[in-house]
Amino acid sequence: MESYQSILILCSLVHFFIFFNFSFGLDTLLANQTIVDGQTLVSPNHMFEMGFFSPGVSKNKFLGIWHTCTPDVVVWVANRNDPIRDPEGLHLTILGHGALAIANARGIIWSTSSFGLVSFPILQLLDTGNLVLVEKTKESFIQLWQSFDFPTDTLLPGMKLVYNPDVGKEKNLTSWRSSDDPSPGDFCLRLTNKGLADSVIFKGSQIVHRTGAWNGHYFSGTPPFPNPIYKPEIVFEEGKLISFSIPYETTNPQRVVLDKSGSSSHFLLNSGKNKWNPTYANPLDSCDEYGKCGPFGVCTFGVTIKCQCLMGYTPKFPEDWDLQDWSGGCTRASPLDCQIEDHDFFEVTGIKYPDTLQVRLNKSMSLKECKTACLRDCSCVAYTNPYITEGSTGCLIWFGELIDTRYLSTPNNKQKMYIRLRKSELDSLTAIQKEAKEKSWSIMILVIGIVSGVTVSSFVNIGIQYMSRQSRKEKTVEDVELPLYKFSTIMTATNNFSTDNIIGEGGFGPVYKGMLSAEVEVAIKRLSRNSEQGFAEFKNEVTLIAKLQHRNLVRLLGCCIEKDEKILIYELLPNKSLNTFVFDRNRRTHLTWPKRFNIIMGIARGLLYLHHDSRLKIIHRDLKTSNILLDGNLNPKISDFGMARPFEEDEATARTRKVVGSYGYMSPEYAVAGKFSVKSDIFSLGVILLETLSGKKNRGYANCHQHYGLLARAWLLWKENKTLELLDECLTDTFIESQVKRCIQIGLLCVQRYAEDRPDMISVYSMLATDEGLLPEPKEPGFFIDAGSDVVRSYTSTSGECENGTMSMTDLEAR
Ligand SMILES: *[C@@H]1O[C@H](CO)[C@@H](O)[C@H](O)[C@H]1NC(C)=O
């Protein structure tokens, strides 16, 4: 199959070029092969799966694509208009004339259009979730069809929405009719372009919501950067055609979906929990309903919504207005007369620009020229420079009605609009404003007073707790000095917390890369504001880790506590975390067996120190591959002490109401009963060990269908005396057989079902460190099925279910 890669020369499409990786496997379907109900294609990275499904309570079948880990979240549907009512003989196939078709015993139900005769068509599900049909010729691959050209209700990274004035060629999102019916529902999210791009949600032909004109960075009606990971882009092509997309990057699975109630939301995958977290939604509140306050009205959302008239305007129907029916909007108190009056402009800041119903746009005019142009034209009611990008020129002039304006809840003061008024009106308004400003100042001062009061008291609070801890331990623990850094230093180091510097998402906030000086690179963890949970973890981490020093623990270099900023500064490890290596198809080939063994030993050494040798005995409680960082020589360092708890030597088991930690790494007694002890860390270590040597996740994309995952597989292979098969296929001849077998056995000892059967860290470490000595026989591993259930089952009772639903290599060859 290697040779296919070398002939991949010509290819027009970028996604295709980057992500099309030829190896015929679980991800490909060739001519004469079929996929029947129950079989699926799986993308090479195991992120996406394609197959037949029935939505909700419906009995109808559809062909769809979903994230392997969340099969309920279908991201694309082929035959949304052609439900399959009779599944007899149902299959997907590639027809001789290059069309993809779904058929049942009665005939073809759905198909793509035909491309004429093709000789070697290949269907592949790519890592992006794009399903592509290509024709292999001698020199290249020609793309015939791709699912990304036919979005349904979901936008995936790499997919494009397109505004195209040629009717019928646009690409939009259309909601499902209901959770049981993927056929097109009432709502449609489309791009529009009146010189400025906008994204608009329609119900039928009615606008229900507008995201606001694109200001060069984002849509003007959305919060500036809803989160650092969602970075949508608008691309203008020849001024007319525009496309909207989220660039593809592998690390953060995300999606935008237009749901059946007409709300579009952005979700990020929390892969540890296989859960999608919404980061932000449109419409945000009722001020986002299109034209809520009528013409010349402006909406404010506080506790409830409130409509006001723009400066110089009064309610058109005051009685309705008083009854909170704002739809009539506002009108000028007295009409302007351009012949005899002087006019000037009132500046409104922090707003979503009114709809561009009747506008004139000039991209090269300065703001000053814009003002002159507006003054000169009597029908101009307002103007602005709609672009907020640094140094950009531009002039947008509104005529007629200003509709769908709102104050933003996170104001961006660069978004300003200038409203035409009589000069005399403006003078009196300025006087009123000045007075109002003074009032609001006094309110602000009061608010600042309260806020800083809170901050000071909570600060004093840590101080006190910290000190009392100190005095309690005074005799045994010498003080560890933790340097305090100034906030301004951190700002400089991270380039003002530039999103470009973000290197990850820690337990309680983003992690940035920073330069403390020309040489010293550090990792900077910033506590998200107003995060109660985060604050507790922050305190915990500071007080615990400041006292710990070991070459296999990540070093805390300092912290910064200023106003409401709480920041931790760590040594920066160039190779990121273990999961980015062992689960990555390319990077894991660098991990030879000696390197993997060194990593396992290093983690064991670090944990031995935490459990037995450090001044404070500590249970980590959240050990997982993403919390194991790797330095330049791939030496491991345990990080993230946000959940860690100190314990007394004689305290065997503690209980917690709140189970924290990551699924896949939690011991059964902890996941089910909230009991934690050093033995729950041992369990997590066992999982990490088995993951590191197999290159497979215990619970992750690859294993959603195999409910019991890696541990079950390890156990089964152990019983059949075939443990070597567990080893990563990338490790061909670099390993010592006896060492690997020993390692797997130690891993299995660590993940035994009952905590008391698991060895402690001293035994684990000494078993790993020597090649001699008989090891105990492991008993069945513990599995846990679901956070909500108290079932702890072993694999043996349900063996054989693992491969269901996923096509295996042998299936493919047989077809
Ligand atoms: C969405 O796009 C499709 C495909 O181009 C088109 O047929 C449909 O009319 C569009 N929907 C709306 C509401 O314009």
Side-chain angles (χ1 to χ4, degrees):
M1 306 294 146
E2 294 290 77
S3 61
Y4 292 122
Q5 242 143 7
S6 59
I7 47 174
L8 180 62
I9 323 160
L10 279 166
C11 189
S12 58
L13 279 145
V14 180
H15 311 316
F16 184 75
F17 210 87
I18 300 174
F19 305 113
F20 208 108
N21 184 344
F22 275 92
S23 56
F24 296 141
L26 300 173
D27 56 339
T28 31
L29 182 78
L30 306 181
N32 308 324
Q33 294 184 326
T34 55
I35 291 200
V36 300
D37 195 7
Q39 289 180 322
T40 61
L41 287 187
V42 178
S43 66
N45 65 357
H46 295 276
M47 183 91 87
F48 291 96
E49 199 167 352
M50 184 218 74
F52 291 103
F53 73 101
S54 294
V57 299
S58 168
K59 295 236 160 49
N60 293 336
K61 294 271 178 189
F62 295 89
L63 182 80
I65 297 174
W66 54 88
H67 281 90
T68 315
C69 273
T70 52
D72 289 349
V73 183
V74 173
V75 296
W76 185 77
V77 184
N79 54 321
R80 68 188 303 195
N81 287 312
D82 309 290
I84 303 156
R85 299 204 171 82
D86 174 11
E88 199 195 322
L90 180 60
H91 65 280
L92 174 74
T93 188
I94 307 170
L95 301 176
H97 55 274
L100 189 64
I102 300 171
N104 64 5
R106 297 182 193 186
I108 291 174
I109 294 167
W110 172 93
S111 81
T112 62
S113 48
S114 143
F115 295 91
L117 270 188
V118 290
S119 47
F120 198 153
I122 303 164
L123 181 74
Q124 191 180 20
L125 181 60
L126 306 187
D127 283 348
T128 48
N130 192 4
L131 184 70
V132 295
L133 183 65
V134 294
E135 157 81 336
K136 186 179 102 51
T137 68
K138 275 212 179 76
E139 309 78 34
S140 64
F141 291 92
I142 298 161
Q143 181 164 314
L144 303 175
W145 177 91
Q146 60 170 345
S147 64
F148 271 20
D149 280 341
F150 303 91
T152 53
D153 68 337
T154 303
L155 183 76
L156 292 173
M159 195 170 190
K160 279 180 179 171
L161 292 188
V162 176
Y163 163 81
N164 191 328
D166 302 338
V167 182
K169 290 201 178 148
E170 72 169 53
K171 290 175 198 163
N172 51 42
L173 297 183
T174 316
S175 64
W176 283 26
R177 184 145 296 283
S178 75
S179 342
D180 309 321
D181 180 3
S183 70
D186 291 339
F187 297 96
C188 182
L189 187 151
R190 309 168 66 188
L191 293 175
T192 63
N193 181 12
K194 291 173 192 155
L196 294 165
D198 205 335
S199 91
V200 181
I201 299 174
F202 285 86
K203 181 174 186 178
S205 57
Q206 293 278 320
I207 299 180
V208 292
H209 170 69
R210 208 173 53 93
T211 330
W214 184 259
N215 65 19
H217 277 324
Y218 49 88
F219 291 111
S220 75
T222 61
F225 292 101
N227 62 68
I229 287 147
Y230 180 47
K231 292 176 185 151
E233 278 179 1
I234 281 271
V235 176
F236 287 80
E237 287 161 31
E238 298 157 12
K240 256 171 127 189
L241 189 74
I242 48 170
S243 68
F244 173 78
S245 60
I246 313 167
Y248 178 79
E249 41 129 355
T250 47
T251 42
N252 292 299
Q254 50 185 305
R255 63 192 167 94
V256 170
V257 62
L258 179 67
D259 68 26
K260 57 181 191 292
S261 61
S263 160
S264 89
S265 311
H266 174 254
F267 289 89
L268 264 181
L269 183 68
N270 179 338
S271 39
K273 300 205 170 100
N274 293 341
K275 218 183 125 211
W276 288 95
N277 293 328
T279 67
Y280 115 96
N282 266 327
L284 199 63
D285 52 46
S286 42
C287 272
D288 269 351
E289 290 166 24
Y290 185 73
K292 186 76 186 177
C293 295
F296 304 105
V298 51
C299 194
T300 322
F301 192 84
V303 182
T304 58
I305 85 156
K306 195 175 143 200
C307 288
Q308 290 165 296
C309 290
L310 287 166
M311 286 299 174
Y313 294 81
T314 56
K316 194 163 182 184
F317 306 106
E319 290 98 65
D320 293 349
W321 197 265
D322 289 343
L323 294 171
Q324 312 216 322
D325 173 1
W326 292 294
S327 53
C330 310
T331 180
R332 274 211 59 89
S334 60
L336 295 175
D337 186 334
C338 301
Q339 307 301 318
I340 50 167
E341 301 159 350
D342 272 348
H343 291 172
D344 206 341
F345 294 90
F346 179 79
E347 179 185 299
V348 192
T349 53
I351 50 142
K352 166 179 174 179
Y353 299 130
D355 197 0
T356 46
L357 293 177
Q358 259 184 284
V359 291
R360 198 189 305 145
L361 177 71
N362 179 321
K363 291 184 184 169
S364 58
M365 264 194 209
S366 71
L367 199 60
K368 214 169 146 198
E369 290 164 340
C370 196
K371 180 176 178 175
T372 319
C374 184
L375 272 181
R376 224 181 278 141
D377 188 332
C378 201
S379 49
C380 167
V381 290
Y383 74 92
T384 190
N385 173 0
Y387 308 112
I388 63 156
T389 35
E390 210 64 56
S392 63
T393 56
C395 173
L396 179 70
I397 288 177
W398 279 270
F399 305 98
E401 293 181 337
L402 298 176
I403 196 160
D404 200 37
T405 315
R406 70 168 294 173
Y407 285 110
L408 298 171
S409 39
T410 41
N412 164 3
N413 292 329
K414 284 187 185 157
Q415 273 172 214
K416 292 178 184 169
M417 175 174 68
Y418 305 87
I419 302 169
R420 185 187 204 120
L421 287 183
R422 219 171 267 126
K423 209 162 186 311
S424 54
E425 282 174 319
L426 190 69
D427 293 341
S428 58
L429 277 171
T430 329
I432 298 169
Q433 270 234 315
K434 208 172 144 217
E435 197 180 305
K437 219 174 198 168
E438 272 155 16
K439 253 191 212 153
S440 72
W441 262 112
S442 58
I443 293 170
M444 281 241 281
I445 289 163
L446 190 68
V447 171
I448 290 171
I450 293 169
V451 170
S452 58
V454 170
T455 321
V456 167
S457 68
S458 55
F459 185 76
V460 168
N461 205 359
I462 351 178
I464 292 171
Q465 285 187 10
Y466 191 77
M467 271 154 52
S468 63
R469 220 178 255 264
Q470 290 296 298
S471 59
R472 220 179 335 126
K473 301 266 179 194
E474 219 161 35
K475 291 180 189 80
T476 51
V477 179
E478 329 130 44
D479 238 333
V480 177
E481 290 276 59
L482 191 61
L484 266 180
Y485 286 86
K486 278 209 168 105
F487 186 60
S488 56
T489 314
I490 310 290
M491 288 280 279
T492 320
T494 55
N495 201 1
N496 294 344
F497 295 102
S498 155
T499 46
D500 293 341
N501 284 38
I502 291 181
I503 49 173
E505 195 67 27
F508 55 65
V511 182
Y512 298 82
K513 183 164 128 169
M515 299 292 289
L516 274 188
S517 68
E519 280 93 54
V520 187
E521 269 199 316
V522 291
I524 291 174
K525 214 163 153 181
R526 184 189 200 184
L527 173 65
S528 323
R529 284 169 199 214
N530 316 321
S531 162
E532 279 290 322
Q533 173 64 22
F535 186 55
E537 286 176 22
F538 173 87
K539 280 197 298 189
N540 192 36
E541 182 138 21
V542 172
T543 46
L544 286 184
I545 197 179
K547 302 197 179 72
L548 303 175
Q549 278 214 346
H550 187 273
R551 69 189 150 125
N552 294 113
L553 302 185
V554 73
R555 271 191 56 205
L556 182 62
L557 303 174
C559 72
C560 163
I561 307 176
E562 230 174 85
K563 301 207 189 83
D564 45 4
E565 291 291 348
K566 284 150 208 90
I567 292 163
L568 294 174
I569 299 139
Y570 294 91
E571 61 178 328
L572 182 76
L573 298 178
N575 276 320
K576 298 198 185 154
S577 48
L578 182 56
N579 60 329
T580 68
F581 258 91
V582 283
F583 303 135
D584 185 282
R585 280 199 301 168
N586 298 322
R587 292 182 97 195
R588 75 174 201 243
T589 55
H590 299 292
L591 290 181
T592 56
W593 171 253
K595 282 189 181 138
R596 291 189 203 212
F597 188 69
N598 177 56
I599 290 171
I600 293 168
M601 281 304 281
I603 304 168
R605 231 181 274 121
L607 199 56
L608 177 66
Y609 170 80
L610 284 179
H611 283 187
H612 297 275
D613 297 335
S614 72
R615 290 169 294 184
L616 276 166
K617 309 275 176 285
I618 285 168
I619 305 177
H620 186 285
R621 296 211 298 167
D622 196 17
L623 285 173
K624 53 182 169 183
T625 48
S626 57
N627 280 343
I628 307 293
L629 306 184
L630 297 174
D631 74 10
N633 297 319
L634 297 178
N635 289 314
K637 290 174 190 255
I638 300 172
S639 76
D640 213 327
F641 290 76
M643 314 277 195
R645 288 284 169 275
F647 71 101
E648 304 292 331
E649 202 89 25
D650 50 2
E651 172 190 2
T653 316
R655 232 174 205 286
T656 178
R657 270 168 180 282
K658 202 172 108 233
V659 174
V660 293
S662 305
Y663 296 140
Y665 295 89
M666 273 194 249
S667 63
E669 78 277 11
Y670 183 37
V672 172
K675 284 190 203 164
F676 68 89
S677 66
V678 286
K679 296 296 182 67
S680 19
D681 274 357
I682 301 277
F683 185 94
S684 312
L685 174 72
V687 175
I688 296 174
L689 188 155
L690 293 171
E691 288 183 333
T692 305
L693 57 81
S694 66
K696 309 244 168 10
K697 287 182 189 172
N698 181 33
R699 193 192 150 106
Y701 302 120
N703 290 298
C704 297
H705 289 283
Q706 304 171 12
H707 288 300
Y708 313 105
L710 185 60
L711 303 192
R713 189 162 150 71
W715 176 242
L716 201 69
L717 290 172
W718 161 262
K719 300 257 284 185
E720 291 171 7
N721 201 9
K722 294 196 292 198
T723 48
L724 276 184
E725 284 180 23
L726 192 67
L727 205 58
D728 193 338
E729 315 86 78
C730 305
L731 293 169
T732 42
D733 49 11
T734 59
F735 61 88
I736 309 160
E737 215 178 279
S738 60
Q739 200 179 32
V740 170
K741 283 186 168 165
R742 212 178 148 82
C743 224
I744 293 175
Q745 189 169 354
I746 298 168
L748 282 170
L749 286 169
C750 291
V751 297
Q752 290 177 100
R753 180 169 168 183
Y754 297 106
E756 57 272 24
D757 291 335
R758 293 173 216 148
D760 63 15
M761 233 14 252
I762 296 177
S763 320
V764 173
Y765 186 74
S766 60
M767 289 189 289
L768 280 171
T770 64
D771 285 332
E772 281 112 28
L774 268 183
L775 300 180
E777 283 277 314
K779 296 181 190 158
E780 265 183 20
F783 308 105
F784 110 90
I785 292 166
D786 180 65
S789 87
D790 5 2
V791 197
V792 179
R793 273 201 275 164
S794 70
Y795 176 72
T796 38
S797 56
T798 49
S799 63
E801 281 182 10
C802 281
E803 300 276 307
N804 270 2
T806 311
M807 269 206 316
S808 72
M809 196 67 189
T810 37
D811 288 339
L812 239 177
E813 278 155 11
R815 280 183 285 117

